[in-house]
Amino acid sequence: MTNAVRKISEEKTGLDQLLAEHGMSRDEYAVLLKVLGREPTLAEFGIASAMWSEHCSYKSTRVHLKTLPTTGPQVICGPGENAGVIDIGDGQAAIFKMESHNHPSYIEPYQGAATGVGGILRDVFTMGARPVANLNALRFGDPSHPKTKSLVAGVVAGIGGYGNCVGVPTVGGETNFHASYNGNCLVNAMTVGVADANKIFYSKAAGVGNPVVYVGSKTGRDGIKGASMSSGEFNEDSESKRPTVQVGDPFVEKLVMEACLELMATDAIVSIQDMGAAGLTSSAVEMASKGGLGIELNLDKVPLRESGMSAYEIMLSESQERMLMVLKPGCEAEAEKIFHKWELDFAVIGKLTDTGRLVCTRFGKTEIDIEVEPLVEQSPVYHRPWEPTPLQPVIDAAQYPLPSGETALSVLQKLVATPDLCSRRWIWEQYDSLVRANTAQGPGGDAAVVRIDGGDKALAMSVDVTPRYCAADPVMGGMQAVVETWRNICAVGAKPLAITDNMNFGNPEKPRIMGQFVGAVQGIREACLALDYPVVSGNCSLYNETSGNPILPAPAIGGVGLMPDVSKTVGIAFRGDGETILVIGDTKGHIGQSLYLREIFGKEEGAPPPVDLAAERKHGEFVRALIGERLISSCHDVSDGGLLVAVAEMAMASGIGCAIGQGGDAAFWFGEDQARYVIATKNADAVMAKAKEAGVPVFVLGKTGGVDIVLPGDVKVAVAALRGAHEAWLPEFMN
């Protein structure tokens, strides 16, 4: 170590302040001193703080995430790589993952959301897949909060602006509102791609002496300390963290994607990693660590867009649209030619070594010389104390009948116009859902369906979680998030194959919050095991709270399934008059944590609806079989708002009304019992016979036809009137 390189003690900022700014504890700093056997340089300190941050190391969650099922005959690659990989037959693979950009999006909505999309796209095409679809899960604060409108506008514009320019369709997602997100919105982005199963690229470095190559955009000072910022709570000074938010350029991303895919068609790449959180630091360290190798970098060769950048700044910058590769010797010229053709930077910045050390020089001086293995293996692992969430009592539905003067249809009109149930058309019309011309079913249905080039197959995908369930009972809430993606995928006719997760929680240092996380993981695990529906990738986002006020827990689940014949895809819209409407599954009228209880009575209480995993599997497989035999023309799972809301959504999607042949109380219409589907069929006798044979509960609800929804007693509402209320809330709010 040359004496000209300053150590931490020589920095003007005191140690305690540096530790606070980088989210490192005194105990963790002591481990770093032991690893080095000396004082660190500022660059070494920054690298360790980034690699050991919650965002990069999962130090609070690793012990629990290891309990999730991650294998199966369909799994090619589970968690640990840039994205998960599953076999979809015919020598093809689907590659997908979901990640959060919550903190950046609250600070700078447009760029935070845009770079969230850019980052997840890179995770997928880094592995050799062409992205075919984007989805998202968004959560904002109370509509009356002064920041909510600007956050919605900025986030939606950022997602649309980036995805549309790159040319990847945004085909689905969900958006909800709740006061717990007033100071910390959630922006989860998911990308699904398709690749040849024998051409998957991994990040494990190999080959001592092989060149390490930087490609893409230039490095600037944006995003420095981004990983640390995402690993701490917000407070009233959160706006001051704006410089930690990256700035994206979707047009450059498109070029990087095409250049990478072109180079991947050759035999030049040994390993590849995108520069995401912690930038060049995480990509270099993770690649070397997986290969059990060392890596030397000459930071003078890194393409820069700002002068005078230090080793610390270069290593921790989170500038976007950048990749790190290890190439086979002698392939540099071929690779450089491709990247220059796409007008991108290309630079050989180092090589792999057998030392097991990360060594970086700047201006001819060694600024960083640290073992790679401890940066990964000695990152802290915390067994944080946790306490289970007290279970709430099951609510007696008889205590909450329809309010005086209300009918089921008048309540329905109110519910479909609430923030959580209103149409999201204003949002998804800002996204290009049809680019590439393979979208068989886009936003507005249960699951999106995207054709795979060159055949009849398609991928079905959905993103779901119900945070109010998770807050009341994290185990049941985690379970329900998984089974709702399962139902949504089954409802279009596809076979669910695997999930990705995005675990959004508050401060894990609080036993109550840690208990929410542990419970949700338990629920996810139980559901995935029961459904043979493994977790192949994921992301954790903790410290989602402001001034001590945590978000409702939101373990978002992204599911992917396979549709063998895209022509059999079923949507939610009624297809014609005179079809029989059937309800599959038991309707018991569970209203705890329901939107009926919250929106009509102003109460968020009670146990959430229980999840019967055996029933979910049986009913989903039954529905899938009916669709495969073309016995039903439309299908919709029953979720938020209950049975009457599901029927209304089918009617509003088509403009076709229905006559309901039997009545019920408020709990019958608006209870949120699970494992249910509403289907419409011209073959009711055949469906009923098959249901009896399979032991699946089913009953006749009514018939499609006309322009009204008619309940017993000739109570009716025009579908057009419902649709007007349903479509109006969000545009009016945003205007």
Side-chain angles (χ1 to χ4, degrees):
M1 180 66 60
T2 174
N3 292 331
V5 178
R6 295 196 320 186
K7 299 183 175 65
I8 281 286
S9 60
E10 297 171 317
E11 296 298 319
K12 293 179 181 178
T13 306
L15 179 59
D16 286 337
Q17 185 176 338
L18 278 171
L19 291 172
E21 288 176 356
H22 290 77
M24 181 181 273
S25 70
R26 277 275 183 176
D27 289 343
E28 290 166 356
Y29 184 65
V31 173
L32 177 59
L33 292 176
K34 186 176 180 181
V35 166
L36 289 170
R38 56 172 170 76
E39 232 184 293
T41 65
L42 179 62
E44 290 168 339
F45 175 78
I47 284 172
S49 71
M51 292 303 300
W52 294 355
S53 69
E54 189 71 63
H55 192 71
C56 291
S57 74
Y58 291 5
K59 56 191 175 186
S60 299
T61 59
R62 243 188 296 175
V63 293
H64 303 289
L65 294 173
K66 286 181 178 179
T67 66
L68 293 172
T70 58
T71 59
Q74 71 274 47
V75 178
I76 295 173
C77 177
E81 270 294 337
N82 288 291
V85 186
I86 57 173
D87 190 337
I88 56 172
D90 304 312
Q92 294 176 309
I95 300 180
F96 61 98
K97 188 180 181 183
M98 180 161 51
E99 281 199 343
S100 60
H101 236 219
N102 303 334
H103 287 65
S105 297
Y106 184 80
I107 297 168
E108 177 50 65
Y110 185 95
Q111 289 296 347
T115 52
V117 174
I120 198 64
L121 282 166
R122 288 194 300 280
D123 280 341
V124 168
F125 73 72
T126 293
M127 298 196 70
R130 178 170 290 281
V132 298
N134 288 331
L135 301 92
N136 54 72
L138 313 178
R139 284 179 172 80
F140 300 103
D142 190 304
S144 65
H145 189 271
K147 281 206 70 164
T148 299
K149 186 182 296 189
S150 64
L151 287 171
V152 173
V155 165
V156 170
I159 291 170
Y162 206 99
N164 295 354
C165 292
V166 174
V168 177
T170 300
V171 297
E174 60 175 357
T175 304
N176 295 111
F177 298 84
H178 191 276
S180 74
Y181 305 107
N182 283 351
N184 198 129
C185 63
L186 300 186
V187 176
N188 297 170
M190 177 176 170
T191 293
V192 182
V194 175
D196 291 336
N198 63 351
K199 288 282 284 183
I200 308 297
F201 290 82
Y202 298 99
S203 58
K204 178 181 177 180
V208 172
N210 279 353
V212 176
V213 174
Y214 171 118
V215 300
S217 196
K218 287 181 168 59
T219 294
R221 288 188 169 95
D222 53 321
I224 294 173
K225 289 194 273 192
S228 299
M229 177 270 290
S230 295
S231 303
E233 286 186 41
F234 274 172
N235 55 37
E236 62 276 4
D237 297 324
S238 60
E239 293 290 340
S240 68
K241 298 179 179 179
R242 192 176 302 273
T244 63
V245 179
Q246 311 95 321
V247 177
D249 186 334
F251 298 103
V252 173
E253 178 98 339
K254 171 68 171 173
L255 301 179
V256 172
M257 179 173 71
E258 297 299 340
C260 285
L261 292 174
E262 183 175 339
L263 184 59
M264 287 167 171
T266 72
D267 195 33
I269 298 175
V270 175
S271 58
I272 180 170
Q273 174 80 36
D274 83 298
M275 295 190 213
L280 186 52
T281 286
S282 60
S283 54
V285 169
E286 288 171 11
M287 291 173 79
S289 172
K290 288 175 182 176
L293 296 172
I295 187 166
E296 288 184 4
L297 301 177
N298 181 351
L299 302 183
D300 296 343
K301 295 186 177 181
V302 173
L304 303 177
R305 68 167 183 259
E306 299 182 47
S307 61
M309 290 183 67
S310 66
Y312 171 94
E313 292 172 322
I314 294 170
M315 291 300 291
L316 294 179
S317 166
E318 293 184 12
S319 293
Q320 297 292 284
E321 294 87 40
R322 302 178 302 157
M323 312 286 279
L324 197 66
M325 299 178 179
V326 175
L327 299 182
K328 292 181 179 178
C331 293
E332 297 93 327
E334 179 184 16
E336 183 174 17
K337 183 178 179 181
I338 289 172
F339 278 89
H340 282 176
K341 181 186 82 171
W342 290 99
E343 299 181 345
L344 296 165
D345 280 289
F346 176 98
V348 178
I349 64 169
K351 64 180 181 181
L352 298 179
T353 70
D354 60 3
T355 65
R357 304 185 73 82
L358 171 66
V359 179
C360 304
T361 59
R362 178 68 168 143
F363 301 130
K365 299 170 184 173
T366 302
E367 291 271 3
I368 299 156
D369 187 350
I370 187 170
E371 282 188 77
V372 168
E373 186 267 345
L375 288 174
V376 177
E377 298 303 325
Q378 291 190 33
S379 63
V381 176
Y382 293 126
H383 296 260
R384 296 199 185 276
W386 62 274
E387 54 192 43
T389 301
L391 297 181
Q392 297 193 38
V394 175
I395 287 183
D396 179 4
Q399 301 299 312
Y400 296 96
L402 293 171
S404 177
E406 298 277 9
T407 66
L409 290 180
S410 67
V411 169
L412 173 66
Q413 284 183 284
K414 291 179 179 178
L415 286 177
V416 299
T418 58
D420 274 8
L421 285 175
C422 73
S423 169
R424 303 299 191 250
R425 184 183 303 276
W426 181 91
I427 293 174
W428 51 257
E429 283 191 341
Q430 297 184 53
Y431 306 150
D432 189 338
S433 61
L434 299 175
V435 64
R436 295 185 56 79
N438 282 325
T439 304
Q441 183 163 289
D446 280 332
V449 180
V450 177
R451 284 183 294 266
I452 298 170
D453 284 336
D456 298 325
K457 291 190 309 187
L459 293 175
M461 53 205 77
S462 175
V463 178
D464 289 286
V465 67
T466 309
R468 62 184 186 277
Y469 293 175
C470 298
D473 183 342
V475 177
M476 204 61 70
M479 213 180 286
Q480 192 273 340
V482 174
V483 301
E484 190 167 346
T485 68
W486 167 275
R487 284 201 304 269
N488 285 342
I489 291 169
C490 289
V492 300
K495 180 181 180 181
L497 292 179
I499 69 168
T500 182
D501 61 47
N502 204 143
M503 309 292 282
N504 306 277
F505 290 82
N507 185 342
E509 297 166 44
K510 299 176 180 178
R512 180 175 69 88
I513 302 298
M514 197 66 216
Q516 292 176 342
F517 182 90
V518 173
V521 169
Q522 180 186 333
I524 292 168
R525 179 179 186 275
E526 290 179 20
C528 290
L529 287 171
L531 300 173
D532 292 327
Y533 195 33
V535 183
V536 297
S537 59
N539 171 254
C540 287
S541 175
L542 305 183
Y543 296 95
N544 288 292
E545 53 184 274
T546 301
S547 301
N549 297 312
I551 62 165
L552 287 185
I557 302 296
V560 173
L562 180 65
M563 190 79 194
D565 182 352
V566 69
S567 72
K568 294 181 178 181
T569 300
V570 168
I572 72 170
F574 290 143
R575 306 305 297 177
D577 292 351
E579 296 197 355
T580 302
I581 303 170
L582 302 174
V583 179
I584 292 171
D586 290 318
T587 297
K588 298 179 180 178
H590 191 107
I591 66 166
Q593 298 299 329
S594 67
L595 289 180
Y596 169 75
L597 190 65
R598 189 181 85 188
E599 298 295 337
I600 304 304
F601 293 92
K603 295 186 176 183
E604 296 182 46
E605 58 187 45
V611 174
D612 181 335
L613 293 171
E616 292 286 0
R617 180 160 190 159
K618 178 188 278 191
H619 299 176
E621 290 174 346
F622 178 69
V623 165
R624 206 160 67 236
L626 294 178
I627 294 172
E629 295 178 46
R630 300 187 190 271
L631 286 174
I632 60 179
S633 55
S634 54
C635 180
H636 191 13
D637 89 304
V638 181
S639 55
D640 280 350
L643 178 58
L644 192 54
V645 168
V647 172
E649 288 171 342
M650 299 173 82
M652 290 187 292
S654 61
I656 298 170
C658 58
I660 305 299
Q662 60 175 289
D665 58 8
F668 174 81
W669 293 122
F670 304 113
E672 296 181 5
D673 307 290
Q674 302 292 292
R676 292 188 297 165
Y677 302 78
V678 179
I679 63 174
T681 178
K682 296 176 181 176
N683 304 283
D685 290 343
V687 171
M688 297 285 281
K690 286 180 177 290
K692 184 176 180 180
E693 182 182 342
V696 172
V698 61
F699 67 88
V700 176
L701 187 65
K703 290 273 188 180
T704 64
V707 294
D708 301 321
I709 295 178
V710 185
L711 298 191
D714 204 33
V715 180
K716 62 184 178 181
V717 64
V719 173
L722 274 181
R723 183 190 277 168
H726 183 59
E727 296 282 355
W729 185 84
L730 194 50
E732 288 177 0
F733 170 65
M734 294 309 298
N735 285 337

